[in-house]
Amino acid sequence: MSRTKNSIYNMFFGVVGRILTLIIQFVVRMIFIRYLGVEYLGISGLFSNILTCLSLAELGVGTAITFCLYEPINNNDIEKIAILMRIFKMAYIFIGSFVLVIGILLTPFLSFFIKEMPDIPGLNIIFILYVLNTAISYFFSYKSTYIIAQQRSYITTNNNNLIKIVSSSIQIVILILTQNYILYLIIQLVGTFVTNLRITFIANQMFPELKIRTNSKLDSETRSVIIQNIKALIFHKIGTIVVFATDNILLSKLFGVVVVGLYSNYSMIIIALESLIGLFFTSISASVGNLRVDSDIKHQKDIYY
């Protein structure tokens, strides 16, 4: 399939899927507030921000390795693909483990982030479930990145949206019948696990090269490119987290989780609109990466303009 067709597929399924998931997310949010209240919503926003800050450990490793995958994919260099994917796997297992350990160590200090502790039972368990959900996403997600690098992000999009719609529907039933937030989060955790497990299976079926094991070392040139890109991405990563992932932490510390809950309702609308616009760029990014290694400078400039 051509780069243009891949981009169109990615964009179409991305937009349609995003609209469907946004609709069900709004329904979940309405049910959530009705049966659990704004304090629980505030806790959800706060814990999500804390875990996003912990994701700083990723340091742009995924982006840097993905960038280096475009050339061996274009050249069908199976050996180099296997080496890069092995490094990818090791890096993400380390990052997931780091998030898990630091998240658990933070659990006794949750009161530091909240002005007045809400009357919510099992707050520590709730936070640990958030930590597990984030850690699991690192342990299993690296193969989905390979599908995206192959210019087929619509496959991961469809998988993610399907599981999201199913798990959200179950969460709605759970909220209506039990009003149990911990059970709600367990469904979310299972959904994340199934999403990543299913995409891993799909990736292995579509791309047999992912099953290849190698002990070969990465060439020094590619290693230097990865290190250089990680250094450049570190500051971008820090800036993104400081600007976009600290609002709820500051609001909770200064005003309490109720204000965080109210703020989350408005920010959800803004984030939804931004994500729809962002789909245009994410849908074509892998095709741009392929263009860089598959064409001359003149053609690259023509496409750019």
Side-chain angles (χ1 to χ4, degrees), residues 182-251:
I182 291 178
L183 191 55
Y184 169 94
L185 291 176
I186 291 173
I187 299 299
Q188 176 178 287
L189 181 61
V190 172
T192 300
F193 178 75
V194 172
T195 298
N196 289 288
L197 193 65
R198 188 169 184 268
I199 202 63
T200 298
F201 175 79
I202 292 172
N204 288 336
Q205 292 295 108
M206 290 184 63
F207 306 106
E209 61 266 29
L210 292 177
K211 299 177 183 178
I212 295 174
R213 299 289 180 265
T214 179
N215 293 319
S216 301
K217 292 185 178 180
L218 190 64
D219 62 277
S220 58
E221 182 181 350
T222 305
R223 191 185 308 115
S224 297
V225 171
I226 291 175
I227 293 171
Q228 182 180 354
N229 287 338
I230 289 174
K231 287 179 179 178
L233 287 164
I234 286 174
F235 297 102
H236 174 73
K237 185 80 174 179
I238 292 173
T240 300
I241 288 176
V242 169
V243 174
F244 297 108
T246 55
D247 294 4
N248 292 338
I249 295 174
L250 292 172
L251 288 172

Side-chain angles (χ1 to χ4, degrees), residues 3-48:
R3 281 189 290 262
T4 303
K5 285 186 177 179
N6 278 322
S7 296
I8 292 171
Y9 266 63
N10 294 337
M11 217 174 298
F12 174 77
F13 286 105
V15 171
V16 172
R18 189 61 184 146
I19 290 173
L20 290 174
T21 54
L22 284 174
I23 290 172
I24 197 164
Q25 282 177 349
F26 274 112
V27 174
V28 171
R29 179 63 62 97
M30 289 189 295
I31 300 295
F32 191 103
I33 294 173
R34 179 176 178 181
Y35 286 94
L36 291 180
V38 73
E39 280 192 335
Y40 279 90
L41 188 60
I43 286 295
S44 174
L46 171 63
F47 289 173
S48 295

